[in-house]
């Protein structure tokens, strides 16, 4: 697609400095700009590219402008990062969505497929499954018995949605993620570990995005729940009967053990481990690689393993780094004390 600078500015309510007719045929990172391409600058540390970038048009936050004259055409907005996101979403919509059922897919007679939905080749849709209007189910997806998928969802290739799980509207599930696999439930006996049937399901509410290669286990009874607006990175394990509230973000390789409850608007860093049967409040920040082994109150920031207050951790770490020197000083004091006593 081709756009002029004036067309782009009209999409984001921007003010043009330079050539309104400058033609854009692609986008580039600002560090690797090309002629005919569009990029953006939202932070001061990149503002020097206003003078050096080869991009033809740059979207820039108004706070970064000075009195210089610039070679690229500029589109000035309040927040360049947010404006660029608006453009990317518009471009994605312009690319269009697929519709229809491709050859090679298998759809049970009792399944219900909504209008304008897309079912890719080699996808299997089980009995009594329901797929909402406009949803995109890409090739090699498995959709189990009684699964309900809402409107305008995107399920990428290789994902598996097991029996009776429920997915809301506007959700994205990336490749090779499993929703509704058995929870890790075993009873120790004299003969070994006996499997506990996992009879519940998973409920994913509206506007949730789940990265690739995640596992979200079905509940033993009841439901494992992922709340509205929550965003889950790649390679994350969420165990049976976990309940996650609204608008959380969870970074890659985190693991949440069974029956833990997490509130709203939390930020959980990469490789965080959370034990089972605890409660994490609202607006909590857990730094990467922390281990959480007890319940957490609202608006706390944690670090370490086991995780403690972030500020306490930083103060403790200063002493930890100096621990050999501190031990030597203590030993010297003890030796001096003994010498004085002997005298």
């Amino acid at each position: 697609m081709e756009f002029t600078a004036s067309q782009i500015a009209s999409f984001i309510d921007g003010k043009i400095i330079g050539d309104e007719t400058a033609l854009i045929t692609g986008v580039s990172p600002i560090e690797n700009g090309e002629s005919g391409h569009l990029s953006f600058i939202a932070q001061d540390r990149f503002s020097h590219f206003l003078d050096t970038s080869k991009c033809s048009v740059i979207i820039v936050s108004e706070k970064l402008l000075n009195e210089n004259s610039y070679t690229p055409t500029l589109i000035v907005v309040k927040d360049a990062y947010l404006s660029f996101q608006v453009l990317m979403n518009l471009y994605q919509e312009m690319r269009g969505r697929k519709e229809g059922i491709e050859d090679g897919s298998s759809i049970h007679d009792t399944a219900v497929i909504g209008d304008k939905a897309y079912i890719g080749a080699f996808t299997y849709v089980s009995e009594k499954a329901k797929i909402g209007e406009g949803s995109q189910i890409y090739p090699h997806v498995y959709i189990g018995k009684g699964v309900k998928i809402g409107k305008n969802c995107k399920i990428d290739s290789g994902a598996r949605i097991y029996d009776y799980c429920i997915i809301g509207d506007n959700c994205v599930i990336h490749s090779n993620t499993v929703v509704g696999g058995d929870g890790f439930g075993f009873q120790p006996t004299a003969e070994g570990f006996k499997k506990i049937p996992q009879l519940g399901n998973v409920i994913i509410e509206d506007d949730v995005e789940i990265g690739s290669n995640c596992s979200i286990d079905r509940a033993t009874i009841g439901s494992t729940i992922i709340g509205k607006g929550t965003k889950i990175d790649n390679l994350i394990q969420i165990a049976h009967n976990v309940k996650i509230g609204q608008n959380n973000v969870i970074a890659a390789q985190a693991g949440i053990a069974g029956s833990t409850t997490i509130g709203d608007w939390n930020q959980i860093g990469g490789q965080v481990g959370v034990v089972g049967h605890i409660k994490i409040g609202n607006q909590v920040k857990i730094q990467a690689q922390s281990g959480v082994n007890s319940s957490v109150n609202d608006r706390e920031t944690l670090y370490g393993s086991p995780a403690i207050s972030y500020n306490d951790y930083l103060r403790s770490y200063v002493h930890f780094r100096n621990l050999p020197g501190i031990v030597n000083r203590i030993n010297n004091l003890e030796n001096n004390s003994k010498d004085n006593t002997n005298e």
Side-chain angles (χ1 to χ4, degrees):
M1 295 184 183
E2 295 183 348
F3 297 93
T4 63
S6 61
Q7 287 174 319
I8 294 169
S10 69
F11 296 144
I12 55 177
D13 195 24
K15 176 184 175 183
I16 294 179
I17 299 177
D19 182 8
E20 294 186 353
T21 65
L23 194 64
I24 297 303
T25 59
V27 295
S28 295
I30 193 64
E31 303 93 329
N32 303 307
E34 299 180 25
S35 178
H37 280 204
L38 172 74
S39 192
F40 74 99
I41 298 175
Q43 298 178 354
D44 185 62
R45 63 194 177 103
F46 295 110
S47 59
H48 64 279
F49 285 110
L50 288 169
D51 301 309
T52 61
S53 176
K54 295 180 181 179
C55 285
S56 297
V57 179
I58 299 175
I59 301 169
V60 59
S61 298
E62 58 187 7
K63 65 182 180 181
L64 301 180
L65 291 181
N66 53 43
E67 300 300 322
N68 292 356
S69 59
Y70 302 104
T71 300
T73 294
L74 304 184
I75 300 177
V76 183
V77 295
K78 185 174 181 179
D79 188 324
Y81 185 68
L82 292 179
S83 293
F84 198 75
Q85 287 185 53
V86 170
L87 288 178
M88 288 191 293
N89 283 319
L90 286 172
Y91 180 71
Q92 188 174 39
E93 291 176 8
M94 289 177 182
R95 292 171 67 181
R97 293 186 173 199
K98 293 184 176 182
E99 294 182 15
I101 299 172
E102 290 185 346
D103 292 342
S105 59
S106 178
I107 300 173
H108 196 274
D109 291 342
T110 60
V112 178
I113 310 298
D115 292 340
K116 300 182 179 179
Y118 162 69
I119 309 295
F122 308 110
T123 286
Y124 184 88
V125 182
S126 301
E127 61 184 294
K128 298 182 180 178
K130 294 182 179 180
I131 297 173
E133 179 180 345
S135 285
Q136 310 278 287
I137 313 297
Y138 282 80
H140 295 279
V141 169
Y142 171 81
I143 297 174
K145 181 179 180 180
V147 166
K148 296 179 181 178
I149 297 174
K151 299 177 182 178
N152 300 314
C153 291
K154 179 184 178 186
I155 315 294
D156 273 324
S157 298
R160 306 289 187 260
I161 316 297
Y162 285 15
D163 294 355
Y164 301 110
C165 291
I166 299 172
I167 298 172
D169 297 336
N170 309 310
C171 291
V172 178
I173 298 176
H174 289 278
S175 291
N176 301 320
T177 280
V178 176
V179 175
D182 278 358
F184 194 62
F186 297 90
Q187 176 66 37
T189 70
E191 293 78 29
F193 289 92
K194 301 298 183 183
K195 185 175 178 65
I196 300 170
Q198 305 294 292
L199 304 178
N201 71 343
V202 174
I203 297 175
I204 296 174
E205 297 181 352
D206 297 346
D207 304 309
V208 170
E209 181 157 346
I210 301 171
S212 60
N213 296 295
C214 295
S215 294
I216 302 176
D217 293 344
R218 68 176 49 249
T220 305
I221 55 175
S223 298
T224 301
I225 300 174
I226 312 297
K228 181 177 180 180
T230 287
K231 313 301 181 187
I232 295 174
D233 200 356
N234 305 323
L235 295 165
I236 286 174
Q237 159 70 16
I238 296 174
H240 57 186
N241 291 95
V242 167
K243 291 179 171 54
I244 296 176
Q246 297 185 8
N247 298 305
N248 293 279
V249 289
I250 306 175
Q253 298 183 350
I256 301 170
S259 297
T260 282
T261 298
I262 296 175
D264 302 332
W265 293 101
N266 297 296
Q267 299 177 30
I268 298 177
Q271 296 186 332
V272 164
V274 182
V275 303
H277 300 273
I278 66 171
K279 183 176 181 180
I280 294 175
N282 305 308
Q283 301 179 50
V284 172
K285 296 180 180 179
I286 305 174
Q287 308 293 325
Q289 295 190 327
S290 295
V292 183
N293 63 3
S294 60
S295 293
V296 181
N297 295 324
D298 293 349
R299 291 179 290 279
E300 288 197 33
T301 300
L302 305 180
Y303 197 21
S305 185
I308 61 175
S309 165
Y310 179 67
N311 290 329
D312 287 347
Y313 180 90
L314 293 181
R315 285 191 287 266
S316 300
Y317 187 69
V318 170
H319 298 302
F320 175 75
R321 291 179 62 187
N322 297 322
L323 190 58
I326 294 171
V327 171
N328 287 335
R329 289 171 58 190
I330 292 172
N331 288 336
N332 289 334
L333 288 170
E334 288 179 342
N335 290 332
N336 290 335
S337 177
K338 291 177 182 177
D339 290 341
N340 293 334
T341 300
N342 292 332
E343 291 177 0

